[in-house]
Amino acid sequence: MTVSYAQIDRRQDQFHSWGPYGLLLVSTVLSLASHELIESPAQWYAGGALVAAAIGLQLRLGPRHGPRTPSRGGAVVYTLRWAVSFGLTWINPFFAFYASTGYFDSDELIASRRGQRLGLCAHAVAIAGSQAGGFPFHSWVQWVLFGVMFIVNSTLLMMVGHFAKQEEQRSRDRAVTITELERTNTALQQALDENAALHAQLLVQAREAGVADERRRLAAEIHDTIAQGLTGIIAQLQVVANAPDLDVARTHLARASDLARHSLGEARRSVHNLAPVALENAGLPEALKKTVAEWGEQTGVRAEFTVTGPSEQLHEEVAATLLRIVQEALSNAARHARATRLGVTLSFAGDEVLLDIRDDGQGFDPRAVPARTHAGGFGLDGMRARAERIAGSLTVESEPGHGTALSARVPLVRHD
């Protein structure tokens, strides 16, 4: 059964409060039972008076409620109690039981270490005298026994005191350790709470970042599919509006219809977050070849596609990124370049894939390109962002009147 510290303290208080009365009662009963040891009526009267004095001193101390604080008054009571117990032991040796009371509370009544040791030795004298046969001594044998018993009692007191000090020091150390553990646990709990709050904050930030990235991705997908398709349709319809005869109008209407169907397929595919339609049944080289050829037919510009190096089956994200870059570059060239020739080269070079797009159009100053607006396309910034998203890069070389060259370099990540 587990005993709490509060129960131990309560029992100690009970012992210190009522123990002296019990020891005095035991001593009195034994003394009455051995009344032949009391030689004269004067000793009977003196014993009764000393018992009453012992009761009065104990009442003066009062009940114990926690460890007492040493004081001068407590030292006086301790000294008087020793004198009473010594007198009672002189009258009858059985009062040594009551004299042992001084062993239990010297540290609570006497402030100085020296006074405590003197008090313990004084009570050892009374108890050793009782063990030697009682005062006064009538033979040298009793004196020898008294000396031996005094040494034994003093040694026992020293050992008990030493062990008590060690236990007290261990208790203090345990109290310090418990305090440190509580402080450490508090700090650890605070750290855990802070980590939990930080984790929650990081989750929110990651969720927000994911939402923002998904918005950018969808915006780019819409731009590269629906917006470019609508741009092509508008261009074809503009040609139809100025067509000189019905056959030319029908041809451009058919192209506009094909662009609309193609854009619809891209839109549906983007909604499902899959690869571009052009990559569904073909690899990147075939998709780029078809895209460049269709762009050339729509714009009337001579467009060529070339593959160098051993062709690899690329990861769908890498293939889709390179295809989108080419589509954006072709869209920009159709709107702004006024080129007569355009070439797209896909190169497999070891651990990298290079994509070069060159035209002989009017060119531009890359440093003077205006910032993207909500009404405009993704342009160079969008292509560069796409390349960087897969740890690649995009460089642009252009000069007014001397055409434009775009070069994308991305890691070669093979299809799983």
Side-chain angles (χ1 to χ4, degrees):
M1 182 176 64
T2 303
V3 180
S4 66
Y5 289 114
Q7 291 176 317
I8 294 175
D9 292 339
R10 185 167 58 254
R11 291 175 182 177
Q12 287 182 345
D13 289 340
Q14 291 173 350
F15 174 77
H16 282 276
S17 297
W18 304 107
Y21 294 109
L23 291 173
L24 181 60
L25 178 61
V26 170
S27 298
T28 302
V29 171
L30 292 175
S31 296
L32 292 174
S34 59
H35 57 85
E36 66 274 3
L37 297 177
I38 302 176
E39 298 177 352
S40 64
Q43 289 182 336
W44 282 100
Y45 292 129
L50 291 175
V51 169
I55 296 175
L57 289 173
Q58 197 60 37
L59 291 173
R60 173 66 179 81
L61 285 176
R64 181 181 186 264
H65 301 288
R68 295 186 175 99
T69 302
S71 63
R72 181 174 298 178
V76 171
V77 172
Y78 186 88
T79 303
L80 293 175
R81 190 177 62 186
W82 170 82
V84 170
S85 65
F86 184 80
L88 288 171
T89 304
W90 188 284
I91 295 173
N92 191 302
F94 283 111
F95 277 105
F97 287 103
Y98 174 67
S100 64
T101 304
Y103 288 167
F104 306 131
D105 55 4
S106 62
D107 58 335
E108 293 189 358
L109 299 178
I110 303 175
S112 67
R113 291 284 185 180
R114 183 179 179 183
Q116 293 173 12
R117 287 193 293 269
L118 289 175
L120 291 173
C121 288
H123 282 81
V125 168
I127 294 175
S130 173
Q131 293 169 340
F135 299 106
F137 300 145
H138 301 290
S139 66
W140 64 271
V141 176
Q142 284 184 298
W143 283 103
V144 172
L145 288 175
F146 169 75
V148 172
M149 299 311 299
F150 178 76
I151 293 174
V152 170
N153 281 280
S154 298
T155 302
L156 290 175
L157 285 174
M158 291 175 59
M159 293 177 62
V160 171
H162 177 69
F163 293 146
K165 289 181 181 179
Q166 286 186 331
E167 184 61 30
E168 183 180 355
Q169 183 61 40
R170 282 195 292 267
S171 297
R172 285 196 294 264
D173 293 340
R174 282 194 294 268
V176 172
T177 301
I178 292 172
T179 302
E180 291 295 330
L181 288 174
E182 290 176 349
R183 186 180 298 111
T184 302
N185 288 336
T186 301
L188 179 61
Q189 187 60 45
Q190 291 177 350
L192 291 175
D193 294 340
E194 292 176 358
N195 287 339
L198 180 60
H199 180 67
Q201 182 179 359
L202 290 176
L203 287 177
V204 172
Q205 292 177 350
R207 190 180 299 110
E208 292 176 350
V211 171
D213 185 69
E214 184 65 13
R215 288 175 177 173
R216 287 192 295 269
R217 186 192 68 80
L218 290 175
E221 288 291 328
I222 293 172
H223 169 265
D224 293 339
T225 57
I226 300 175
Q228 290 183 5
L230 292 176
T231 300
I233 293 172
I234 292 172
Q236 298 299 325
L237 293 178
Q238 287 176 344
V239 173
V240 170
N242 299 319
D245 54 55
L246 186 58
D247 291 336
V248 174
R250 287 176 176 173
T251 299
H252 287 283
L253 283 174
R255 291 177 180 176
S257 179
D258 291 339
L259 282 173
R261 282 191 294 268
H262 178 78
S263 297
L264 179 60
E266 286 282 6
R268 289 173 176 172
R269 193 68 59 177
S270 297
V271 169
H272 293 285
N273 195 24
L274 299 176
V277 174
L279 294 173
E280 186 176 10
N281 299 313
L284 180 62
E286 293 79 5
L288 289 179
K289 181 178 180 180
K290 181 179 179 181
T291 299
V292 171
E294 291 177 351
W295 180 85
E297 292 178 2
Q298 295 170 8
T299 59
V301 177
R302 181 181 174 183
E304 299 178 351
F305 172 71
T306 306
V307 179
T308 63
S311 179
E312 298 274 2
Q313 186 69 21
L314 298 177
H315 188 278
E316 60 181 13
E317 185 67 21
V318 176
T321 297
L322 294 177
L323 177 59
R324 295 307 192 198
I325 290 175
V326 169
Q327 290 174 336
E328 177 65 16
L330 294 178
S331 177
N332 291 341
R335 293 198 302 269
H336 309 297
R338 299 180 184 176
T340 59
R341 294 186 58 185
L342 181 142
V344 177
T345 302
L346 179 66
S347 304
F348 294 88
D351 295 333
E352 292 184 322
V353 181
L354 306 178
L355 180 65
D356 296 297
I357 307 168
R358 301 177 182 273
D359 65 62
D360 62 353
Q362 61 183 0
F364 63 96
D365 183 0
R367 295 171 299 180
V369 175
R372 182 176 67 87
T373 63
H374 295 291
F378 276 74
L380 297 177
D381 290 340
M383 289 186 282
R384 185 173 289 108
R386 285 184 178 279
E388 292 175 350
R389 190 158 53 234
I390 58 172
S393 61
L394 179 77
T395 58
V396 180
E397 297 179 4
S398 185
E399 185 179 347
H402 294 83
T404 301
L406 277 72
S407 179
R409 182 186 299 266
V410 300
L412 192 156
V413 181
R414 294 174 177 83
H415 181 69
D416 295 336

